[in-house]
């Protein structure tokens, strides 16, 4: 009877140890997955920061070009207006 109880206790201890080992292994795998996920996120962060920097550079160039084109456009409008006035004067002088 005593040996049967000892065997049952050993069986329970074996199951408990197996469960503990299984839980430890599961926790280890979970930590590894979490670490891998964090590394992937860090890599994505670096990629996104690089893309952002590149886009900001392109935006800066485009803004400078827009500013220059707007300035050139304003000058051309002034020139067109002046040429229109000169043309009207010439028409008036020709009709006199």
């Amino acid at each position: 009877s005593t040996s049967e109880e000892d065997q049952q206790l050993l069986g329970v201890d074996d199951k408990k140890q197996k469960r503990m080992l299984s839980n430890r292994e599961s926790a280890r795998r979970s930590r590894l997955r979490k670490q891998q996920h964090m590394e992937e996120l860090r890599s994505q962060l670096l990629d996104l920061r690089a893309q952002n920097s590149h886009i900001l550079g392109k935006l800066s160039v485009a803004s400078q070009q827009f500013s220059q084109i707007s300035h050139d456009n304003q000058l051309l409008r002034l020139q067109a207006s002046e040429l229109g006035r000169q043309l009207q004067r010439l028409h008036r002088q020709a009709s006199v």
Side-chain angles (χ1 to χ4, degrees):
S1 161
T2 304
S3 71
E4 286 180 23
E5 290 175 1
D6 289 344
Q7 288 294 326
Q8 287 178 350
L9 287 175
L10 287 176
V12 170
D13 284 345
D14 284 346
K15 288 181 183 179
K16 188 175 181 180
Q17 280 185 338
K18 286 180 184 179
R19 189 170 54 247
M20 286 175 58
L21 287 174
S22 176
N23 287 346
R24 285 182 187 152
E25 182 60 25
S26 178
R28 185 186 69 79
R29 287 191 309 267
S30 179
R31 286 190 302 272
L32 288 174
R33 280 193 307 271
K34 182 178 178 181
Q35 182 181 4
Q36 183 179 11
H37 183 64
M38 289 299 292
E39 289 172 6
E40 289 172 3
L41 290 175
R42 283 186 190 102
S43 178
Q44 285 180 356
L45 177 64
L46 292 175
D47 288 345
L48 290 171
R49 283 182 176 165
Q51 287 178 19
N52 190 35
S53 178
H54 179 71
I55 290 170
L56 286 174
K58 289 174 72 172
L59 177 63
S60 177
V61 168
S63 293
Q64 290 172 357
Q65 289 174 343
F66 176 79
S67 179
Q68 183 62 45
I69 290 170
S70 292
H71 180 261
D72 292 347
N73 192 27
Q74 186 178 14
L75 289 176
L76 289 171
R77 286 176 195 238
L78 288 172
Q79 289 175 356
S81 178
E82 179 60 29
L83 288 172
R85 284 192 293 274
Q86 288 178 7
L87 184 61
Q88 286 177 355
R89 271 185 270 150
L90 289 173
H91 280 307
R92 280 195 303 269
Q93 288 175 356
S95 62
V96 173

